[in-house]
């Protein structure tokens, strides 16, 4: 108990320092890792939220006639328990909008806690805008009124990825590997299900999970993959686990495609460099290369001017901020989050990143275009990590998962 109180006190002090001298009208709490092995991913995400809030809202006069928006970072150290401490700290500071994306384990803890908090505390209710945690359960059996997902879920992404894999006649054997938690398991299950349904001739020659954030040397895993004779690898790994696994696979002589969810930005692209060219594939929302609009080009250049070492590797972050802003304006309030949530339900939004986004009312899942891209330095307008390498779109799936079923039975206030 003493340690939890100490952690909470430290977080309060850090947040007070972060907010000193600036009193925003609308506060967004960013709860993600800002220290430890996934700090680079979290920090770059926070930078993207800061820029989006200023470029899309504050620099244009604010919301509701001039109300400003502030994004406050809360370091959860990728721990569900720490995330719940930070959630309470954020609520106590007047935050009414929580954004989080790294780790579905954290997202599951937050959505349960927010659901319970809102039932018990109608005067301080909060909304949870999930920008990257893609466990399908969050918009199925575990859905609730207060949770919205702005990223495609793992099933939607795997459906698009396996369309590409199943159509590649050179792929006869596939190895599946991922982090041992809810998201890694969801990716593996979806890969097996989709590959079996789309191409019965493809053999799954490996399917294993490894501890998240604890493997220092992926060489033993890479050697098993090479020895299996696999033509392609599928992994949902992210952060340092993605970089470590990918580099080990390539350095041990694997020459086939490695299909991923998060192998770009946050230092990963520069680290792969020439070695990952033509090998790393990525499924993602938001098209960066080629840029789909002049607005996107101007936005990205503005971001680089403020954060020259950063990347817009998650265009869904600017979508999240812009969609929330639209909902607040439509609801006519930022304090009544029930009204804002109802404005979000069924909302349609035209993204600068080349897609329409529809928030499905029945499960609060965003429907949008998904792209499969390749790691390369050819045809790239915006490289990542200060390098010439980026992700170039090879295939687009329009409004992916639009007709996908949901088991969500949402109770509305």
């Amino acid at each position: 108990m003493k340690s939890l109180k100490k952690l909470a006190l430290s977080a309060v002090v850090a947040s007070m320092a972060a907010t000193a001298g600036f009193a925003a009208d609308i506060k967004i709490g960013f709860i993600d890792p800002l220290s430890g092995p996934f700090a680079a991913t979290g920090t770059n995400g926070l930078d993207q939220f800061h820029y989006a809030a200023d470029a899309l809202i504050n620099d244009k006069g604010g919301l509701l006639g001039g109300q400003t928006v502030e994004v406050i970072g809360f370091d959860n150290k990728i721990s569900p328990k720490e995330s719940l401490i930070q959630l309470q700290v954020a609520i106590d500071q007047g935050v009414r909008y929580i954004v989080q994306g790294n780790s579905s384990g954290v997202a599951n803890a937050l959505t349960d806690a927010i659901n319970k908090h809102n039932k018990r505390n109608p005067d301080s209710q909060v909304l949870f805008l999930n920008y990257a945690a893609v466990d399908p359960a969050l918009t199925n059996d575990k859905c609730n009124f207060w949770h919205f997902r702005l990223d495609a879920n793992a099933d939607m992404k795997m459906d698009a990825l396996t369309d590409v894999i199943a159509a590649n006649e050179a792929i006869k054997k596939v190895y599946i590997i991922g982090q041992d938690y809810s998201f890694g398991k969801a990716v593996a299950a979806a890969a097996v299900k989709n590959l079996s349904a789309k191409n019965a001739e493809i053999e799954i020659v490996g399917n294993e999970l490894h501890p998240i954030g604890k493997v220092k040397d992926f060489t033993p895993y890479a050697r098993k993959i090479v020895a299996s004779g696999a033509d392609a690898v599928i992994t949902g790994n992210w952060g340092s686990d993605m970089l470590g696994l990918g580099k080990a696979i390539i350095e041990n002589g694997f020459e086939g495609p490695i299909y991923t969810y998060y192998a770009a930005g946050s230092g990963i692209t520069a680290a792969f460099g020439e070695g990952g060219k033509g090998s790393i594939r990525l499924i993602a929302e938001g098209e960066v290369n080629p840029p789909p609009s002049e607005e996107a080009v101007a936005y990205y250049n503005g971001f680089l001017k403020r954060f020259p070492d950063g990347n817009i590797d998650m265009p869904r972050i600017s979508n999240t901020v812009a969609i929330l802003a639209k909902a607040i304006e439509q609801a006519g309030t930022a304090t009544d989050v029930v009204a804002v949530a109802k404005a979000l339900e069924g909302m349609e939004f035209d993204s600068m990143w080349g897609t329409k986004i529809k928030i499905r009312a029945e499960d609060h899942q965003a429907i949008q275009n998904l792209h499969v891209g390749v790691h390369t330095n050819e045809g790239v307008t915006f490289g990542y990590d200060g390098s010439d390498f980026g992700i170039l779109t090879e295939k687009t799936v329009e409004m992916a998962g639009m007709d996908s079923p949901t088991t969500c039975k949402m109770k509305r206030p």
Side-chain angles (χ1 to χ4, degrees):
M1 181 60 74
K2 287 183 177 179
S3 62
L4 294 182
K5 289 181 177 178
K6 185 177 180 181
L7 287 170
L9 179 59
S10 298
V12 170
V13 171
S15 296
M16 287 175 66
T19 58
F22 178 67
D25 303 295
I26 302 168
K27 297 179 180 179
I28 297 174
F30 174 93
I31 301 178
D32 260 322
L34 298 174
S35 63
F38 301 109
T41 303
T43 300
N44 188 49
L46 180 58
D47 288 345
Q48 291 177 71
F49 268 106
H50 279 148
Y51 182 71
D54 287 338
L56 301 177
I57 298 175
N58 295 333
D59 293 348
K60 295 182 177 180
L63 299 175
L64 304 173
Q67 293 188 33
T68 56
V69 173
E70 179 186 16
V71 180
I72 307 172
F74 298 89
D75 182 11
N76 69 358
K77 303 176 176 63
I78 208 66
S79 159
K81 180 184 292 186
E82 180 67 24
S83 298
L84 299 186
I85 296 172
Q86 298 300 327
L87 171 64
Q88 190 58 57
V89 173
I91 292 172
D92 289 346
Q93 291 187 25
V95 168
R96 294 294 173 266
Y97 300 96
I98 298 295
V99 294
Q100 181 271 339
N102 294 292
S103 170
S104 290
V106 170
N108 275 294
L110 284 175
T111 195
D112 286 344
I114 289 170
N115 193 29
K116 292 175 182 175
H117 169 85
N118 286 352
K119 289 178 181 177
R120 297 167 181 166
N121 302 278
D123 294 333
S124 61
Q125 292 173 328
V126 299
L127 287 189
F128 177 16
L129 303 177
N130 166 7
Y131 70 91
V134 297
D135 180 356
L138 290 163
T139 46
N140 282 282
D141 293 351
K142 294 184 178 180
C143 74
N144 67 62
F145 178 75
W146 314 102
H147 170 266
F148 291 81
R149 174 155 47 203
L150 282 301
D151 197 0
N153 70 38
D155 287 349
M156 294 171 170
K157 293 187 176 186
M158 187 55 68
D159 187 26
L161 263 186
T162 50
D163 280 349
V164 174
I165 296 172
N168 188 338
E169 295 181 353
I171 297 177
K172 301 297 183 186
K173 298 180 180 180
V174 171
Y175 202 104
I176 304 166
I177 183 169
Q179 294 153 316
D180 189 8
Y181 75 118
S182 58
F183 166 61
K185 294 175 182 176
V187 169
V192 171
K193 177 183 176 182
N194 280 280
L195 288 175
S196 301
K198 295 177 181 179
N199 190 338
E201 294 183 357
I202 292 180
E203 179 185 1
I204 297 173
V205 294
N207 187 354
E208 67 177 324
L209 300 170
H210 63 77
I212 179 172
K214 296 181 179 179
V215 179
K216 303 300 182 185
D217 182 2
F218 280 94
T219 300
Y221 295 97
R223 288 175 176 166
K224 280 198 292 184
I225 291 170
V226 174
S228 73
D231 302 309
V233 175
I234 295 175
T235 181
N237 275 18
W238 55 278
S240 58
D241 283 343
M242 178 63 250
L243 179 59
L245 175 66
K247 286 183 72 69
I249 293 173
I250 293 169
E251 289 170 358
N252 277 271
F254 184 78
E255 296 181 348
I258 304 171
Y259 292 99
T260 76
Y261 281 47
Y262 300 113
S266 302
I268 292 177
T269 296
F272 276 127
E274 185 70 24
K277 184 176 181 179
S279 180
I280 299 295
R281 255 74 176 184
L282 182 92
I283 177 75
E285 96 304 336
E287 187 172 23
V288 174
N289 292 300
S293 68
E294 290 300 319
E295 182 183 6
V297 172
Y299 184 87
Y300 206 131
N301 284 329
F303 174 82
L304 289 177
K305 186 175 181 180
R306 179 168 169 182
F307 299 103
D309 297 327
N311 305 304
I312 296 184
D313 50 8
M314 293 183 280
R316 55 187 174 275
I317 288 179
S318 58
N319 291 336
T320 298
V321 172
I323 288 172
L324 174 61
K326 182 177 179 179
I328 289 173
E329 290 284 9
Q330 188 170 312
T333 175
T335 54
D336 183 353
V337 299
V338 173
V340 176
K342 289 181 178 179
L344 284 168
E345 291 187 318
M347 177 176 284
E348 294 190 8
F349 175 79
D350 292 317
S351 169
M352 74 176 90
W353 305 106
T355 181
K356 180 178 288 296
I357 299 173
K358 181 175 181 179
I359 308 296
R360 206 159 55 181
E362 56 265 41
D363 59 356
H364 294 182
Q365 171 64 59
I367 304 298
Q368 57 198 308
N369 294 352
L370 292 181
H371 311 279
V372 179
V374 62
H375 172 100
T376 183
N377 59 350
E378 297 179 14
V380 170
T381 303
F382 292 110
Y384 286 150
D385 307 329
S387 75
D388 295 331
F389 288 89
I391 300 297
L392 180 66
T393 296
E394 291 186 315
K395 180 178 174 59
T396 297
V397 179
E398 302 281 345
M399 301 304 280
M402 182 170 59
D403 299 323
S404 59
T406 178
T407 59
C408 176
K409 296 179 180 178
M410 192 175 295
K411 294 181 180 178
R412 291 175 168 77

